[in-house]
Amino acid sequence: MKFAKSTLAGLTALSLSFSVSAAEKLNIYTWSESIDPSLIEKFEQETGIQVTLDGYTSNEDLLAKLKSGSSDYDLVMPSQHFVKIMIQEDLLKNINAKSLAAFKNLDPRWKGQWWDPNDEYSIAFAYGTASFAFNTNEYSGPGNSWKEFFEPEESLKGKIAAFSTPDEIIPAAQAYLGIDFCSEDSNEMKRVYQLLKKQKPYVAVYSSDNISSRLAGGEVAMHSWWDGDTMRARKDNKAPIIYAQPLEGLIGWLDALVVPKGSRNTENAKTFINWISQEANATTQYNYYGHSSGFIINARNAKHKPNNSPEIFPEVRVKFTQACSPVAQKLVDKVWTQLLL
Amino acid sequence: MNQIINNAHKQNASINKPFNLRLSWNLIGLMPAYLVMFFLMIIPLGIIFYVSMMTSDPYGGYEAIFSLESYQQILFTYDWDDNLNLNFQYLIIIARTLLLASATAIICLLISFPVAYFISRQSNSTKALLLYLITLPFWVSMVIRVYAWVLILSNDGVLESSLTFLGLTSGMDSLLYNNNAMLVGMVYSYIPLMILPIYASIEKLDARLTEAASDLYSTRLSTLTKIILPLCKPGIVAGFILVFVPCLGTVLEPMLLGGGKTMMMGNLIQNQFSIARNWSFGASLAVVLLIIVMLFLMWNARKSSRPIVEGSAV
């Protein structure tokens, strides 16, 4: 009898441990190298949840993955306009973000925003800008206008690199030409196309990854880039790089944590969101990532301060990209397809 | 003798079995192969055909509304004033892809034949080692191998710094991000697929034939063109197909080495599913690529089957 009991207990324990190991998983799909690996380790130790991390380099890639319906991700990190599109397209789970502990740690600026007005789906994670950065050994600047990037001087022929997707390049071109984002006017978009077409001979490569080595190594003199990434290359690798702050405006983005519809570990995803929002963790993440945090951080422990981080404390205005209507989106796609032919 | 009669008897028995029974056994026996073909080939291709004839959703995906617009788009595009114009831009991409794939296959052939011939003349142990070295790159991810070329060709890369060290050049332009870089990467990626089948056919070559040729005062060149090359033709054709066909769909080399500026079929299709979010158009391009490959393979199959037909007729 005793034997039977202990066997039973053992079996129960075994089955429990099986069910636990089956449940305690979290598949995160984020921007490449965005989350501090030491934080992931700490999270796994503290909660026993096993994290699988996967990376993408464009919102478009993420949207295509989710649209295909075959992804098995529990937590993804689209930018604001894609959050809105994904909500519209019914790709996200309503996690009642307002009720999460993380919501209290959120910077009040990012509550009730247009992409998720009732704070149901998303929690702001990080925000920043897109512009271009240049290697001071190759180009002396001044780096205060999009003109330098779109209509470069002759010496920069074949020395410029741009992002591989239109997501931030076209808004930048629109900012330079004084055209509204998501314009539905095909004449205006024709001007955008002509500008980019004229720039193309100067462009060596359209790519959104390996930017750091390409720019710091002198393969190109000027590269589309994000604020925090430029700062990390400057601080960590001592690269001679300056982040341009065009007077026409920087292109703003905000990446938010959201849970895709097909997620099988939603509770673990919420646990992660709450955990990373805690002040100490958010501060560690801020110090690692170099982009401004969506959460309230501990200013005393923050490594990047206004006096040593001009990249993420810009002095020019920032224009956030928007979710375009189907008509505007088709024009954007047309510009980009024609450009790359 | 007994044996032969027995065998003949067995064959007779199997022929005399009821036709239906044999058919059903054949069907059941081959079922796994049929199922694999059905689920892994017919169904996915069917999905591609289906999507290519639907309307694409501007945010990715498609709506189940029948439309042949995506096929129309291959030849006709709306210009900036919304006029529908005949436009060869996509045909140019297809032509460019065919050209690059042919160039890759031809360069691969020119390098592979001497290499394969050289290997086949070595001692058995050297042969094994050389073949092992040729297949070795397959153990490393394709992405990493193509990236290695980025490091070789880039500014201050392996190639430039070696040449500068030797005093051959100073401050040369970057070798990356142009068509030549792309071609180098593609030849490198696919050349083992050419060497192996050519090697296999040279290996089967009867050495007595070349000996006989030289005994009969054939020059080296005519031995090569009249004896060796015709006998190795099956291997050359197989290698050509193995290189040419995957080259048509190549994505990595144009992206990493070509700089993403010169569009190839593979990139064009990939872009329709990611950046441009026009799944139907992507699917219709995939159908066109498929038809090109099928036509090429059918043409080749007919060509290579002809001598056999002629032979049997004689």
Side-chain angles (χ1 to χ4, degrees):
Chain A
M1 189 61 201
K2 196 175 177 192
F3 171 74
K5 230 180 192 171
S6 60
T7 312
L8 200 66
L11 280 176
T12 318
L14 200 66
S15 67
L16 263 179
S17 71
F18 268 123
S19 66
V20 162
S21 68
E24 301 296 298
K25 281 210 168 99
L26 181 61
N27 299 323
I28 304 181
Y29 189 43
T30 74
W31 294 90
S32 299
E33 293 165 34
S34 55
I35 300 178
D36 186 347
S38 76
L39 276 177
I40 297 281
E41 238 169 74
K42 196 172 155 214
F43 175 74
E44 285 182 326
Q45 275 167 13
E46 284 181 20
T47 61
I49 297 171
Q50 247 193 320
V51 176
T52 314
L53 211 55
D54 222 346
Y56 55 84
T57 53
S58 77
N59 280 308
E60 286 91 343
D61 283 349
L62 172 64
L63 180 65
K65 268 259 171 73
L66 293 189
K67 263 279 182 180
S68 74
S70 57
S71 71
D72 189 27
Y73 298 115
D74 304 308
L75 195 62
V76 300
M77 205 193 276
S79 304
Q80 77 283 3
H81 48 317
F82 276 76
V83 172
K84 184 166 180 197
I85 291 169
M86 285 171 188
I87 293 173
Q88 255 173 34
E89 297 285 297
D90 199 23
L91 295 169
L92 302 183
K93 221 172 217 178
N94 185 336
I95 50 167
N96 198 6
K98 235 184 332 222
S99 69
L100 297 180
F103 194 70
K104 290 184 208 74
N105 302 330
L106 207 56
D107 184 333
R109 270 199 292 170
W110 306 123
K111 293 178 180 174
Q113 283 284 357
W114 55 267
W115 51 88
D116 183 14
N118 300 322
D119 293 311
E120 294 168 312
Y121 299 89
S122 66
I123 292 279
F125 180 72
Y127 63 96
T129 61
S131 173
F132 62 92
F134 53 92
N135 185 324
T136 51
N137 294 336
E138 309 272 337
Y139 177 70
S140 52
N144 58 15
S145 168
W146 280 110
K147 188 178 172 58
E148 297 164 55
F149 181 73
F150 288 119
E151 297 178 300
E153 53 186 56
E154 207 51 37
S155 64
L156 289 174
K157 201 155 219 160
K159 294 296 260 177
I160 289 181
F163 287 140
S164 62
T165 70
D167 195 25
E168 283 157 331
I169 294 291
I170 287 185
Q174 285 166 330
Y176 173 52
L177 295 172
I179 295 169
D180 285 341
F181 288 174
C182 294
S183 164
E184 296 184 4
D185 182 341
S186 77
N187 280 326
E188 288 184 344
M189 291 308 280
K190 188 180 178 180
R191 284 173 56 211
V192 170
Y193 165 72
Q194 284 164 340
L195 179 71
L196 293 173
K197 192 80 187 170
K198 226 173 80 197
Q199 183 207 22
K200 197 178 174 187
Y202 295 84
V203 177
V205 53
Y206 292 96
S207 173
S208 300
D209 43 34
N210 256 22
I211 297 175
S212 182
S213 66
R214 206 176 291 123
L215 186 58
E219 182 72 43
V220 295
M222 200 184 266
H223 209 309
S224 295
W225 218 0
W226 298 286
D227 52 351
D229 300 82
T230 312
M231 185 174 76
R232 268 157 74 184
R234 176 177 64 82
K235 286 186 177 171
D236 302 347
N237 307 334
K238 307 275 177 283
I241 295 173
I242 290 179
Y243 188 68
Q245 306 217 359
L247 293 170
E248 298 92 348
L250 291 160
I251 309 306
W253 54 264
L254 179 141
D255 293 336
L257 295 166
V258 298
V259 179
K261 240 236 145 127
S263 158
R264 289 185 289 178
N265 306 299
T266 309
E267 286 313 308
N268 293 346
K270 287 183 189 169
T271 309
F272 184 84
I273 297 174
N274 289 332
W275 187 85
I276 198 111
S277 78
Q278 292 164 17
E279 195 185 74
N281 297 332
T283 311
T284 310
Q285 167 63 21
Y286 170 76
N287 287 342
Y288 167 83
Y289 197 22
H291 288 296
S292 309
S293 174
F295 303 113
I296 298 162
I297 54 166
N298 185 331
R300 265 188 304 128
N301 294 339
K303 215 167 73 178
H304 315 299
K305 299 190 160 100
N307 59 1
N308 65 8
S309 314
E311 291 91 349
I312 60 170
F313 296 96
E315 281 165 6
V316 297
R317 68 192 158 139
V318 177
K319 290 171 150 183
F320 276 79
T321 47
Q322 293 159 13
C324 294
S325 68
V327 178
Q329 190 57 49
K330 284 221 153 153
L331 287 172
V332 168
D333 296 338
K334 190 170 174 177
V335 169
W336 203 251
T337 313
Q338 302 270 323
L339 176 69
L340 292 191
L341 281 178
Chain B
M1 188 63 193
N2 237 345
Q3 186 98 37
I4 295 168
I5 292 171
N6 248 345
N7 276 350
H9 187 73
K10 260 188 209 155
Q11 264 173 15
N12 261 337
S14 72
I15 289 167
N16 290 341
K17 259 189 194 165
F19 178 71
N20 283 342
L21 195 68
R22 252 188 328 127
L23 191 72
S24 64
W25 272 114
N26 282 354
L27 196 69
I28 294 168
L30 288 172
M31 199 42 102
Y34 286 138
L35 287 178
V36 166
M37 291 285 268
F38 183 72
F39 283 106
L40 299 183
M41 205 175 108
I42 306 293
I43 296 245
L45 286 181
I47 294 173
I48 294 175
F49 270 109
Y50 175 75
V51 173
S52 76
M53 286 186 279
M54 294 295 132
T55 310
S56 64
D57 179 328
Y59 299 118
Y62 63 92
E63 290 162 63
I65 304 165
F66 178 79
S67 155
L68 289 176
E69 204 187 316
S70 58
Y71 286 96
Q72 178 195 315
Q73 201 184 336
I74 296 174
L75 280 176
F76 299 92
T77 46
Y78 289 95
D79 66 8
W80 289 100
D81 302 318
D82 263 341
N83 302 315
L84 196 60
N85 288 332
L86 181 64
N87 199 329
F88 294 117
Q89 55 191 11
Y90 296 115
L91 293 185
I92 290 170
I93 293 177
I94 294 173
R96 186 191 292 150
T97 311
L98 289 170
L99 195 72
L100 190 77
S102 318
T104 308
I106 289 167
I107 295 173
C108 278
L109 178 63
L110 292 178
I111 302 173
S112 297
F113 194 83
V115 170
Y117 197 82
F118 173 78
I119 295 174
S120 73
R121 300 291 112 164
Q122 302 305 307
S123 71
N124 277 341
S125 58
T126 320
K127 247 188 234 176
L129 177 70
L130 290 175
L131 286 178
Y132 169 74
L133 289 177
I134 282 172
T135 48
L136 196 63
F138 286 124
W139 297 90
V140 181
S141 154
M142 182 98 154
V143 183
I144 292 171
R145 285 188 285 139
V146 176
Y147 247 123
W149 277 99
V150 175
L151 299 181
I152 293 171
L153 297 176
S154 68
N155 226 359
D156 281 332
V158 178
L159 192 64
E160 193 192 338
S161 46
S162 333
L163 289 179
T164 313
F165 178 75
L166 292 171
L168 293 173
T169 55
S170 58
M172 63 182 189
D173 280 343
S174 171
L175 299 164
L176 263 184
Y177 309 132
N178 54 44
N179 289 350
N180 296 335
M182 202 150 69
L183 196 60
V184 167
M186 283 169 72
V187 168
Y188 164 77
S189 300
Y190 294 112
I191 204 162
L193 298 176
M194 181 76 94
I195 295 180
L196 294 176
I198 293 181
Y199 166 78
S201 65
I202 294 181
E203 180 71 1
K204 274 192 296 188
L205 199 72
D206 192 339
R208 285 173 302 181
L209 292 174
T210 48
E211 269 171 37
S214 66
D215 285 351
L216 295 170
Y217 299 106
S218 160
T219 59
R220 284 168 167 230
L221 187 67
S222 60
T223 308
L224 181 72
T225 54
K226 295 212 171 107
I227 311 230
I228 299 174
L229 280 179
L231 286 171
C232 294
K233 206 176 142 203
I236 293 173
V237 171
F240 201 88
I241 291 171
L242 284 177
V243 172
F244 183 75
V245 171
C247 274
L248 289 179
T250 187
V251 171
L252 272 180
E253 289 86 358
M255 212 164 66
L256 295 178
L257 300 172
K261 278 181 305 181
T262 325
M263 207 52 101
M264 294 289 150
M265 274 297 257
N267 308 84
L268 184 64
I269 294 172
Q270 188 206 21
N271 275 356
Q272 301 312 314
F273 288 93
S274 57
I275 299 166
R277 283 171 272 178
N278 193 343
W279 288 24
S280 308
F281 186 51
S284 68
L285 287 167
V287 169
V288 170
L289 181 61
L290 191 74
I291 290 172
I292 293 173
V293 171
M294 261 164 56
L295 286 177
F296 175 73
L297 291 179
M298 271 157 62
W299 169 72
N300 176 64
R302 275 186 61 179
K303 227 180 106 193
S304 59
S305 71
R306 211 174 295 143
I308 298 168
V309 174
E310 280 164 7
S312 65
V314 169

